[in-house]
Amino acid sequence: MDKAACISAMENAARTAPLPYETRLVSAIHENGGRAITHICGDIHGIVELITRNGSDIIDFDHLCDVSRLKTQTDKVLRGNIDPSLLANGTPQEVYDQTAKVVQEGKKGGNFILGSGCEVTATTPPENLKAFVQAGRDFGKCSKGV
C-alpha cells in the first residue's frame, strides 16, 4: 500500500472507529483529575481536527509531521517530534541540530512540549539523548507572547 493510500485509509478509519471510545477514555481521565495525551503514529495533518474532538489536552505527534503546519491547524498543546531513528542512528550533532530546529519552530506562540516523534529505542546512544536534552535547554526557553 503506498503512502497516500495508507493515509487515506487512516483518515477514513479515524472518522468512524475510535472517536467515541477515545472521547469516553479522555472524559474518564479528566474526571479523575488527569490530563490526557493522544498519540497517533504517522502523518496526522489530515485528521488533526478529528483528534481535537476527543478532548485530549495534548496531541503527541509523530516525526512525520511538521510542527509549524500543525500549529496552524490547532491551538492544542503539541508534543513532539524528533525522529526516533535519528536519535538511535544519528550523530550527536545531527540530533542537536534537528532538535534545535524543531524547538525554535514549536515554541512560536507557545503550547509546545519537546519530545520524541515516537518511542525511543533502548539502543539509542546516551550521547544522542544528551544532545537532545541540551538543545532543548539551549533553545527551549520562550518569552511570553513568543
Side-chain angles (χ1 to χ4, degrees):
M1 185 179 280
D2 69 12
K3 182 178 177 183
C6 189
I7 290 169
S8 178
M10 184 174 69
E11 288 175 7
N12 288 334
R15 282 182 174 74
T16 58
L19 187 59
Y21 304 103
E22 289 176 2
T23 302
R24 284 192 359 225
L25 178 61
V26 169
S27 293
I29 292 168
H30 287 155
E31 288 168 10
N32 286 286
R35 294 196 181 199
I37 299 172
T38 296
H39 175 85
I40 308 244
C41 292
D43 182 346
I44 64 168
H45 288 102
I47 60 170
V48 172
E49 188 271 330
L50 289 167
I51 295 168
T52 64
R53 286 192 213 167
N54 76 13
S56 283
D57 303 288
I58 299 168
I59 298 173
D60 185 59
F61 62 103
D62 204 326
H63 67 279
L64 297 174
C65 299
D66 178 81
V67 65
S68 296
R69 183 173 169 203
L70 283 177
K71 289 178 82 68
T72 67
Q73 295 180 276
T74 182
D75 59 356
K76 292 278 187 179
V77 173
L78 298 173
R79 182 198 170 278
N81 73 331
I82 304 305
D83 184 345
S85 65
L86 175 66
L87 286 169
N89 301 311
T91 66
Q93 189 62 54
E94 290 170 332
V95 170
Y96 183 90
D97 293 344
Q98 181 62 27
T99 303
K101 178 183 172 193
V102 168
V103 169
Q104 289 176 60
E105 287 301 311
K107 73 179 186 179
K108 293 176 184 172
N111 287 349
F112 177 74
I113 301 168
L114 174 63
S116 62
C118 208
E119 299 301 321
V120 176
T121 66
T123 60
T124 299
E127 300 78 28
N128 287 1
L129 293 175
K130 289 176 185 174
F132 169 78
V133 170
Q134 190 60 53
R137 288 180 175 156
D138 291 347
F139 296 94
K141 296 193 176 22
C142 60
S143 303
K144 189 173 181 171
V146 172

